[in-house]
Amino acid sequence: MKQAGEGKETEIVVNRLVRSRRKTVSLIIGEGAELVVRAPLRMAMRDIERVVREKGDWIRKNQELMRRRGASAPERMYAEGEPFLWMGRNLRIALSPDESDVRREDGLLLVPDLPVEQRRLLVTRWYVGEARRVLTERVRIWSALMGLPCDRLTISMANRRWGSCNGHANLSFTARLVMAPADVIDYVVVHELAHVAHKNHGAAFWDLVGAQMPDYSLHRRWLTEHVHGMVI
Ligand SMILES: [Zn+2]
């Protein structure tokens, strides 16, 4: 039975629980402010719940932060000087009457001086092309290293996920991924190729990812921390 005053704070919902061969519990606040809990294989549910309760203040604070950041995601105008991430660095848009298509030159993203909707179209198309160029190369390299095939590579405009593996070995990546540094792109490539061997996120899956890339958790964190700037 609940006492008066209890339950005033909303209960914390665990959106996803991932068990793996690890020794401690880790909490991650995802893109949509959802709570992802990573826990050891055999840890009792009540112990996991206790950790979540103890970290309640931290979770609420960071979920609130994530929601606010989500609400203030940059509204793209493709205007002079506007920053766009590419391979982990910021390019600045330079509007040019001389260009007929988007092109990168050092730290600049040269964009034809056209109405905003056309600039949006051209910049989006440029990112899709860059993503296809970079990911084709990285998938080829990692596919050979891991001895796992990629039958088909698709570049999407997905907003909610970095990549996916459908069927046996059809890999798909969002064009936004090319905004991340090379190491982070490689992590997502390794992650999706590992799904060719393991369709779930079980211990064997993470073992395979970790064997290829021991510091992959750094790259996952980079994605979590930068997702709101990764808007085309
Ligand atoms: Zn996955």
Side-chain angles (χ1 to χ4, degrees):
M1 204 192 329
K2 282 189 177 176
Q3 292 182 345
E6 235 184 50
K8 217 172 70 185
E9 283 183 303
T10 46
E11 193 166 338
I12 293 170
V13 177
V14 176
N15 301 97
R16 205 150 65 86
L17 175 63
V18 183
R19 287 183 184 268
S20 62
R21 228 176 281 164
R22 53 179 299 137
K23 293 203 165 58
T24 56
V25 173
S26 92
L27 309 173
I28 297 168
I29 312 297
E31 189 177 349
E34 73 274 18
L35 173 62
V36 181
V37 177
R38 304 179 55 77
L41 286 174
R42 283 183 231 293
M43 190 176 208
M45 208 48 214
R46 63 171 184 283
D47 292 331
I48 297 174
E49 283 166 355
R50 182 176 46 78
V51 175
V52 168
R53 260 198 317 275
E54 282 170 5
K55 297 276 184 187
D57 288 346
W58 180 90
I59 293 168
R60 285 195 190 85
K61 195 185 84 192
N62 282 281
Q63 283 184 323
E64 183 50 35
L65 223 75
M66 199 60 101
R67 281 193 199 99
R68 246 183 286 153
R69 250 194 273 167
S72 63
E75 173 67 30
R76 289 307 199 181
M77 294 307 296
Y78 312 88
E80 185 75 29
E82 201 173 314
F84 276 75
L85 275 169
W86 172 81
M87 301 291 289
R89 55 186 278 211
N90 262 323
L91 304 179
R92 299 274 165 186
I93 284 201
L95 295 179
S96 163
D98 305 325
E99 302 294 327
S100 59
D101 205 346
V102 173
R103 148 174 101 78
R104 184 179 67 83
E105 196 176 274
D106 302 323
L108 295 179
L109 195 60
L110 299 174
V111 176
D113 197 358
L114 295 168
V116 63
E117 274 314 309
Q118 290 175 55
R119 299 204 298 268
R120 181 194 307 277
L121 213 71
L122 291 175
V123 170
T124 303
R125 205 168 65 186
W126 183 80
Y127 269 103
V128 170
E130 280 296 288
R132 186 174 305 284
R133 180 179 68 79
V134 172
L135 283 158
T136 300
E137 172 74 359
R138 302 317 295 169
V139 167
R140 188 180 60 74
I141 289 170
W142 282 104
S143 170
L145 279 172
M146 295 169 75
L148 291 166
C150 169
D151 295 338
R152 193 153 56 90
L153 175 74
T154 313
I155 303 300
S156 78
M157 287 304 296
N159 273 327
R160 304 284 308 172
R161 60 203 317 193
W162 303 113
S164 62
C165 173
N166 308 310
H168 170 56
N170 297 329
L171 304 193
S172 174
F173 299 92
T174 174
R176 294 190 305 144
L177 187 55
V178 82
M179 297 181 120
D183 287 354
V184 177
I185 296 174
D186 276 2
Y187 158 65
V188 178
V189 168
V190 168
H191 182 120
E192 297 311 330
L193 275 168
H195 277 315
V196 174
H198 306 284
K199 294 299 177 199
N200 50 35
H201 290 116
F205 169 85
W206 288 113
D207 281 353
L208 177 55
V209 172
Q212 301 296 325
M213 195 172 267
D215 54 353
Y216 71 85
S217 61
L218 292 178
H219 308 320
R220 296 183 72 198
R221 185 165 310 158
W222 193 96
L223 285 169
T224 312
E225 287 170 357
H226 292 83
V227 61
H228 293 286
M230 294 170 74
V231 178
I232 296 172

